[in-house]
Amino acid sequence: MGVDVAHLIEHSKSSRASCRVCKKKIEKGELRFGEEAPNAFDPDGGSSYFWHHLSCAAKKKPAELKQALAAFPEEIPNRAEIDAALAEAPPDFPHVERAPTGRSKCLECGEPIVKDALRMAIEREVDTGAFKTKSAGYLHLACAAAHLKDPAQLEKAKANTKLDAAAMAEVEQALPTP
C-alpha cells in the first residue's frame, strides 16, 4: 500500500451508500465515517470512499475513527455511545495479548505460539494477489525485539497493551527497555 489514506466524518449526502460493516443503508444527513481508497474504475488513479456508520467504524476501524473524530469540528449526537464502543475495541498496533488459540505462528522464527502465551500483535501488509490489505501478525515476546529493531515500537507496544498487572510484569521482563 504505502499510500496514506484520508479518513473523514461527514453528513451523508444521500441514502445510496451502505455501511461496509453492517451492510445497512446510511441515511441522508446521518454522520458517516469515510475511508479513502483507490478507485479501481478510474483510469487516472483517483480515489473513492468506503463508508461506515460511526458505531460500526468504532468497532472495526477504531484508530482511524479516533483520528477523524479529533479533526471533526461539530458535535457528535451519540458521542458517549461511540466512545464506549471505542473503549471496547481492540488496542492499537503494536500491542501484547494472550494467544486465544495455538494456531498462530511467530513471524520471526516461524514456530507456533502456544495458547494463552503472551504474544505481540503487529500490523502487517498482506498481498492477496488482487490487492494488498493490512492484518495482524504475531511474534513471541522473545522474538519481538529482533523483528521490530526499533526500541520505540517496543515502548509503543507496552503503552497499547491492556493486561492485568501480573501479565504486564511479564511483558516488562520479556521486552527490553531502551
Side-chain angles (χ1 to χ4, degrees):
M1 249 175 175
V3 177
D4 286 337
V5 294
H7 304 101
L8 63 93
I9 295 173
E10 70 173 23
H11 295 275
S12 179
K13 295 174 178 99
S14 70
S15 296
R16 293 186 318 240
S18 293
C19 176
R20 296 287 287 198
V21 177
C22 71
K23 309 298 183 214
K24 295 179 182 169
K25 291 281 184 199
I26 301 172
E27 296 299 326
K28 183 177 181 176
E30 183 179 353
L31 285 177
R32 62 185 180 176
F33 169 75
E35 179 181 27
E36 188 176 28
N39 184 346
F41 302 106
D42 186 349
D44 298 327
S47 61
S48 62
Y49 282 90
F50 294 142
W51 298 108
H52 305 75
H53 292 108
L54 293 184
S55 58
C56 293
K59 295 171 192 158
K60 295 293 184 179
K61 305 272 182 189
E64 295 88 345
L65 180 61
K66 286 178 190 175
Q67 177 186 11
L69 284 169
F72 189 65
E74 298 176 35
E75 188 173 316
I76 308 283
N78 54 347
R79 183 63 189 256
E81 177 186 316
I82 303 298
D83 288 341
L86 286 170
E88 292 176 16
D92 294 339
F93 290 112
H95 66 269
V96 178
E97 63 186 21
R98 293 224 177 259
T101 69
R103 296 186 315 226
S104 62
K105 292 193 186 224
C106 179
L107 293 173
E108 181 68 18
C109 69
E111 294 295 315
I113 299 173
V114 298
K115 182 178 180 175
D116 294 324
L118 289 172
R119 67 182 184 183
M120 183 175 292
I122 62 170
E123 187 173 52
R124 65 183 179 144
E125 200 170 80
V126 178
D127 188 351
T128 65
F131 61 93
K132 291 183 181 182
T133 187
K134 292 186 179 188
S135 70
Y138 303 103
L139 300 162
H140 291 110
L141 290 187
C143 297
H147 187 83
L148 294 176
K149 297 178 181 74
D150 180 5
Q153 288 293 90
L154 296 176
E155 287 304 309
K156 188 175 178 185
K158 291 177 191 177
N160 290 341
T161 298
K162 299 176 183 176
L163 294 171
D164 61 38
M168 282 306 292
E170 283 184 65
V171 171
E172 288 291 338
Q173 187 177 359
L175 295 179
T177 302

